[in-house]
Amino acid sequence: MSRQSWVLVVVAGILALATLVGAVVLAVRVVRTRRLLTGLGAGGKVAFYGALIYTIFPVDILPDPIYLDDMGVLAAALIYLTRLVHKRRAADRRLPGQPDAPPAPGRTRSVR
């Protein structure tokens, strides 16, 4: 093999390794995001398990050394699950001034 061929092989190997590391990092983030939710709706469960199954399943849109499609599916699932977490936290928070809302930190509730 010529020197140019070796350079191409090394660059391709580095790119494949970088995309693999990116896919693993995204998979870990998806799993951690799922742990934040105690009760997933059906859409959250489908997004979580669908993304992991697609990542593990050997048949992909792109061949396995190219993990860009896996990274896209994992990123989409991560975005969706993060939005579910934010919606759940917003629903758990109550607006100040509601009768059942706890007093703001540093303030006491006045009784009239």
Side-chain angles (χ1 to χ4, degrees):
M1 289 177 115
S2 68
R3 179 173 160 77
Q4 289 179 342
S5 298
W6 279 107
V7 170
L8 288 176
V9 168
V10 169
V11 169
I14 290 172
L15 287 175
L17 184 64
T19 56
L20 175 64
V21 169
V24 169
V25 167
L26 283 172
V28 168
R29 290 189 71 184
V30 167
V31 170
R32 286 184 181 167
T33 303
R34 193 246 184 245
R35 288 183 186 166
L36 292 175
L37 297 171
T38 55
L40 284 173
K45 289 180 182 179
V46 168
F48 174 74
Y49 290 114
L52 289 183
I53 289 170
Y54 182 81
T55 302
I56 295 170
F57 198 63
V59 177
D60 286 343
I61 294 172
L62 296 173
D64 256 349
I66 305 170
Y67 295 103
L68 295 177
D69 59 331
D70 296 330
M71 291 174 66
V73 169
L74 288 169
L78 183 62
I79 290 168
Y80 182 72
L81 291 174
T82 303
R83 286 183 183 169
L84 285 179
V85 168
H86 290 302
K87 283 182 183 179
R88 175 170 219 113
R89 286 182 181 166
D92 288 345
R93 273 189 248 133
R94 294 189 179 123
L95 295 175
Q98 289 181 343
D100 295 338
R107 290 188 164 176
T108 58
R109 190 180 282 183
S110 63
V111 180
R112 294 182 191 185

